[in-house]
Amino acid sequence: MVKDTTFYDILGVSVDASSAEIKKAYYLKAKVVHPDKNPGDPKAADNFQILGEAYQILSDPQKREGYDKYGKEGITEEIMLDPSAVFGMLFGSELFEDYVGQLALATLSSFENEDDIQDKEMQQQRNQEKMKVLQKERDEKLITNLKIRLETFVEGQENEFTNWAQSEARRLSTAAFGEAMLHTIGYIYTRKAARELGKDRRYMKVPFLAEWVRDKGHLMKSQVMAASGAVSLIQIQEELKKLNGVENQEESMQKILEDKKDSMLQSLWQINVLDIESTLSRVCQAVLKDPSVSRDVLKSRAKGLKKLGTIFQGAKAAYSRANSLRHEDDKAITTGSTS
């Protein structure tokens, strides 16, 4: 018997909803009530906050059990993460969907386990097959979007393109984690464009090789940091598992979660960065190697892409992994590496 159904009602799910159903309900409702979607609504932030708190409680098995038994009295408020941070890290801002598509973490969160599949490996294989199809659709949509955005520059309207890009950067920077997203997108845009433009120089000259080596080095660093982020999340999970059955279990768990809040967000961001960068690398390559247009058009696209990336990177600060993730008060969640 559930003492209080308020959080279930907020998410619009039944009291026996599965974890997958809760995640999906949160994602769908968060897209509707997110402040980015309701700029003129003074209650938007509060509505989003309430929705986020409901999700955080019901998505955690132990918090959910406590809530089911004791209602809101069973919730410890001080360990709540900022709902904007949770949504931003898991799903990204809708303002950026035309640039990065739906993030892989969001897609995975929306999957529901199929009742007719009991084998975990088979379920994982089915999910991987779904991901491949959805990722291909994501890439194709982003390729089309990027071609359209660069068309103004390709047509020779450079001033109009620059004015639009600057206005777009200002608009996107207002989103949750907007600056971090802009810097990540801008970095890939400038690197891929510079690499293509470098090929116009004499073959095997140092400038072109430097871009190639830098590109490869950055990809390896992104992969290492994503792996590090995943390992960090696993380590936190293992720490929590060790507390099962120990004295003062709930207090110990609360302390770990409080101490690791920033680490968890940073880990999620590192995983998202690899997803964004690998997706945009494919998108840029398709746009800059399009066989259906002339070499002059491809060169113009590369120049426009580099300018767009430079403008995006210019939002407040130069890109670095040490300051790529910020709280809303502009304080960085620091990590040990930069690029």
Side-chain angles (χ1 to χ4, degrees), residues 191 201 205-217:
R191 290 272 62 82
R201 299 166 187 174
K205 278 288 185 179
V206 172
F208 168 56
L209 284 179
E211 291 297 341
W212 185 85
V213 170
R214 185 180 299 177
D215 196 40
K216 291 295 183 184

Side-chain angles (χ1 to χ4, degrees), residues 130-300:
K130 289 181 184 177
M131 280 296 297
K132 285 182 181 179
V133 173
L134 292 174
Q135 182 64 48
K136 184 179 179 182
E137 293 175 356
R138 176 187 178 190
D139 288 358
E140 291 173 351
K141 180 180 177 181
L142 295 179
I143 289 166
T144 299
N145 290 347
L146 187 54
K147 287 179 180 179
I148 292 172
R149 287 195 184 92
L150 296 174
E151 194 61 33
T152 303
F153 188 92
V154 173
E155 292 175 351
Q157 303 175 52
E158 294 187 21
N159 290 336
E160 290 85 347
F161 180 82
T162 300
N163 291 336
W164 164 81
Q166 291 171 341
S167 174
E168 186 74 346
R170 287 192 296 270
R171 181 180 74 89
L172 294 172
S173 67
T174 63
F177 303 104
E179 183 183 338
M181 293 284 281
L182 280 170
H183 291 167
T184 301
I185 295 168
Y187 186 89
I188 294 300
Y189 280 2
T190 53
R191 290 272 62 82
K192 293 300 178 183
R195 182 177 176 184
E196 288 302 310
L197 292 170
K199 290 180 180 179
D200 287 341
R201 299 166 187 174
R202 282 189 294 171
Y203 184 66
M204 295 299 281
K205 278 288 185 179
V206 172
F208 168 56
L209 284 179
E211 291 297 341
W212 185 85
V213 170
R214 185 180 299 177
D215 196 40
K216 291 295 183 184
H218 181 82
L219 175 60
M220 290 178 65
K221 183 175 288 187
S222 295
Q223 291 172 335
V224 169
M225 293 194 72
S228 174
V231 169
S232 177
L233 291 175
I234 291 171
Q235 289 173 339
I236 293 171
Q237 187 178 34
E238 290 302 315
E239 283 187 56
L240 294 174
K241 283 182 180 179
K242 290 177 182 178
L243 297 177
N244 286 336
V246 304
E247 189 177 356
N248 299 322
Q249 177 181 345
E250 188 173 342
E251 291 180 12
S252 299
M253 283 187 169
Q254 289 173 3
K255 185 177 187 307
I256 289 176
L257 290 173
E258 179 66 30
D259 292 343
K260 302 291 186 179
K261 281 195 301 186
D262 288 351
S263 176
M264 287 189 290
L265 286 177
Q266 184 65 38
S267 298
L268 286 169
W269 173 247
Q270 289 168 347
I271 294 170
N272 277 339
V273 165
L274 180 59
D275 172 38
I276 293 168
E277 291 184 345
S278 59
T279 296
L280 292 188
S281 293
R282 291 190 300 273
V283 169
C284 290
Q285 184 171 359
V287 170
L288 299 178
K289 295 182 179 295
D290 184 358
S292 68
V293 298
S294 67
R295 292 183 65 181
D296 288 341
V297 169
L298 294 178
K299 185 175 181 180
S300 292

Side-chain angles (χ1 to χ4, degrees), residues 36 82 84-85 88 173-179 316 325-333:
D36 289 349
D82 177 6
S84 293
S173 67
T174 63
F177 303 104
E179 183 183 338
K316 289 190 180 181
L325 180 58
R326 298 173 185 271
H327 292 297
E328 296 307 308
D329 62 0
D330 281 337
K331 290 181 181 178
I333 297 176

Side-chain angles (χ1 to χ4, degrees), residues 90 100-112 114 122-140 271-272 274-276 278-279 282:
L90 281 176
V100 301
Q102 180 171 288
L103 300 180
L105 281 179
T107 303
L108 286 170
S109 296
S110 69
F111 285 169
E112 294 185 33
E114 299 173 36
M122 187 177 296
Q123 182 67 63
Q124 289 177 349
Q125 184 177 352
R126 183 71 61 86
N127 287 343
Q128 288 174 355
E129 291 170 358
K130 289 181 184 177
M131 280 296 297
K132 285 182 181 179
V133 173
L134 292 174
Q135 182 64 48
K136 184 179 179 182
E137 293 175 356
R138 176 187 178 190
D139 288 358
E140 291 173 351
I271 294 170
N272 277 339
L274 180 59
D275 172 38
I276 293 168
S278 59
T279 296
R282 291 190 300 273

